[in-house]
Amino acid sequence: QVQLVESGGGSVQSGGSLRLSCAASGYTYSRYCLGWFRQAAGKEREKVATIDDDGVPSYADSVKGRFVISQANAKYTLYLQMDSLKPEDTATYYCAASEAIYSGRYTYSCPDSFNYWGQGTQVTVSS
């Protein structure tokens, strides 16, 4: 069973930076997609950024140019560097993982929904 543990959340003023980390364990498959999602109070969870098995990132429009997703240690560590933070970035941030889906012609893609989730870490941005 894949387990994910986030760290690095906290409180910061608008314009500041934070770096989230996620430690993964328990992989049983060879190809995984990883991602960061967030849920603000009273809102649905939304994708922030994902990275596929080939290391190609994908970002929500709201964070493009400000956030960077990266992975290390053969996908056992996932990061989210968040710069130029805004109050609307305030949310609980979740690390997620899921088995990559074979798309044909030796390519793999990320699923629409992820199977494994961390407990979340709170990010609060004050104006």
Side-chain angles (χ1 to χ4, degrees), residues 10-65:
S11 297
V12 65
Q13 289 191 328
S14 182
S17 298
L18 283 174
R19 188 194 199 200
L20 304 183
S21 299
C22 174
S25 61
Y27 289 139
T28 58
Y29 183 56
S30 59
R31 298 180 182 274
Y32 285 89
C33 290
L34 303 175
W36 290 98
F37 294 75
R38 68 186 181 188
Q39 187 168 19
K43 295 186 178 181
E44 293 188 353
R45 187 165 56 193
E46 63 176 359
K47 168 193 147 181
V48 175
T50 59
I51 188 164
D52 70 14
D53 190 68
D54 292 321
V56 177
S58 174
Y59 297 95
D61 288 342
S62 59
V63 306
K64 281 181 182 176

Side-chain angles (χ1 to χ4, degrees), residues 1-7 21-24 35-37 39 45 78 92-97 114-121:
Q1 182 76 0
V2 176
Q3 294 186 326
L4 304 166
V5 180
E6 304 97 336
S7 61
S21 299
C22 174
W36 290 98
F37 294 75
Q39 187 168 19
R45 187 165 56 193
L78 182 69
T92 301
Y93 284 71
Y94 296 91
C95 175
F114 280 52
N115 292 326
Y116 311 104
W117 296 87
Q119 293 298 310
T121 185

